[in-house]
Amino acid sequence: VATREHAMPDRTIQRTFSVAIVDLRPDGSLVLEGAGQTLLDDEYVQYDFSGVTQPEHIRSDDTVVSEHVADLRLTLERGEPK
């Protein structure tokens, strides 16, 4: 689970997105990916997440703040609950 705070053109999103470590690079960095849905502003949104972090940035509650995620990509799309 990674905690994220993302700037959008007119606002900031503070949300926790579930992700998994999908690769360990030779330099020790961790590749993160996740997909799912969350409730945002009373609407369900589908999300796709990817990024890279270092092991030391994973906190004791298994979260990483967005400032510690390189190459962060977050796509949000409105949708119906599944």
Side-chain angles (χ1 to χ4, degrees), residues 3-49:
T3 300
R4 306 259 130 318
E5 181 175 313
H6 299 285
M8 295 182 71
D10 60 345
R11 65 184 182 147
T12 297
I13 298 174
Q14 295 184 2
R15 182 71 67 228
T16 300
F17 297 100
S18 295
V19 301
I21 298 168
V22 296
D23 193 19
L24 172 62
R25 293 185 174 169
D27 67 357
S29 60
L30 306 170
V31 179
L32 308 173
E33 290 184 1
Q37 71 176 8
T38 188
L39 193 59
L40 182 65
D41 296 332
D42 297 323
E43 289 186 279
Y44 283 95
V45 292
Q46 305 297 319
Y47 68 87
D48 286 303
F49 174 96

